[in-house]
Amino acid sequence: MNEMSRAVTEVATVKLLIDGKFVESRSTQWRDVVNPATQVVLARVPMATRDEVDAAVAAAQAAFKSWRKTPIGTRARIFLKYQQLIREHMAELAALLTAEQGKTLPDAEGDVFRGLEVVEHAASIGNLQLGELANNVASGVDTYTLLQPLGVCAGITPFNFPAMIPLWMFPMAIATGNTFVLKPSEQDPMVTMRLVELALEAGVPKGVLNVVHGGEEVVNALCDHPDIKALSFVGSTKVGTHVYHRASLAGKRVQCMMGAKNHAVVLADANKEQTLNALAGAAFGAAGQRCMAASTLVLVGEAQAWIPELVAKAKTLCVNAGHEPGTDVGPLISCAARERVEGYIESGVQQGATLELDGRKPHVAGYENGNFVGPTIFSGVKPGMRIYDEEIFGPVLVILSADSLDDAIALINANPNGNGTAIFTQSGAAARRFQDDIDVGQVGINLPIPVPVPLFSFTGSRASKLGDLGPYGKQVVLFYTQTKTVTQRWFDDDTLHVGVNTTISLK
């Protein structure tokens, strides 16, 4: 983080959104938003002050009083309009995302589209936020439940999906009647802010959605704020664990989706060409900066002979700036990220893994200053090596071997993370055994990235998730609402009272 040292007119400043107005921060601490392919400064983002965080929460608190009573149909229509606006601006959003994050344009469109699916689901809130009714649970007595909004909610989002993950959060929170304070990643907030502008255009009232920017101090302020009732986080395990415990101690409802080490198991009977294509895309797409990347490959039995063909497939991928046609692997988000990934590669070599393909320092003509690491493959990897035990978050695929499917399952279940896993096979029996015995929240069968559509819920598990409920789908409706149970009896005026009943019976 650098101090303000240049005139604000040199590059655009990213604004805060407080009570329906985009305002300039009064912070003295700012960070550059940098194009990772060129190092060109695109904008400057403020580290918001504590007063600005308090103002955003206060605006959300004030707006909640009327928003919680807004008819559910009115809320739904806002998100019908919002999904239309996102579709109309898809190319603009993807280009902005690619410039600040580095993804290829097709991958950037996919980022926006997967968030758009959640917006579409939010437009169905009338069917999702239904309570239950039991008639005549006792004589003349009915019981029913209400799913009521909590109040002010907050979200902290990561750099790797600056469109999708904000759209996982604030649409469902707002659709259920809450108000929201969003803290986007300070590394690439521009596409998030454009999505926020479109949300206001769609009709989100002032104060219902607010945005603050910043780093650790702002995160802690959101965790500690007494008027925030629920907090959602997606990001690294280190930060997520801190957020979960700090916000929980402050009495908040919390969900944290965190780090991963996703294993893909390949049996020898799998369709080779389809499997190799799927693995290359899942391991190296988005430069490996996905919490659902297939970063770990377990080859079972005779499938261990596939390594040369997988290496050959990886070599065909084009490393270039994300906006260039034909690019398969764009840059990492920052110079620090590139240096970290290169450090992991060196550690793999030092610890005895076989470097089948070295992606360090690729030559990318015209983008010599970019944060590029090409597809990298290690074989002979074992538990205990850093490249297996830790999340690399780069285009590095580590390969382990197993003699049997049972051995592969035992290996995966021994890993602390449980975000996602996959199996490639043509055996229904093997796939069924895998899905039943694997202790991982999300399972793909002949699919490398098993991220559910919003009709279901994101269900990572174990060390990859803290909190019981997922960030979208039916589970998130429960996360953003409080169940109130009402038991009622009505009497006619001429009903005869039978006297005082001191038992617990409702007869």
Side-chain angles (χ1 to χ4, degrees), residues 353-428:
T354 300
L355 185 56
E356 301 279 357
L357 179 62
D358 188 350
R360 288 174 290 185
K361 295 179 172 53
H363 176 69
V364 182
Y367 299 97
E368 286 77 11
N369 294 325
N371 307 318
F372 295 100
V373 176
T376 299
I377 298 176
F378 280 101
S379 65
V381 177
K382 299 180 183 303
M385 294 180 177
R386 283 189 66 213
I387 56 173
Y388 176 73
D389 291 348
E390 300 176 20
E391 186 176 27
I392 299 174
F393 225 60
V396 181
L397 177 65
V398 300
I399 303 177
L400 295 85
S401 299
D403 293 331
S404 67
L405 177 58
D406 287 339
D407 291 339
I409 291 172
L411 173 71
I412 298 169
N413 286 347
N415 190 284
N417 294 293
N419 216 26
T421 188
I423 186 170
F424 292 85
T425 180
Q426 296 191 69
S427 168

Side-chain angles (χ1 to χ4, degrees), residues 200-213:
L200 299 189
E201 185 178 339
V204 173
K206 72 172 186 175
V208 171
L209 175 60
N210 304 271
V211 183
V212 293
H213 304 285

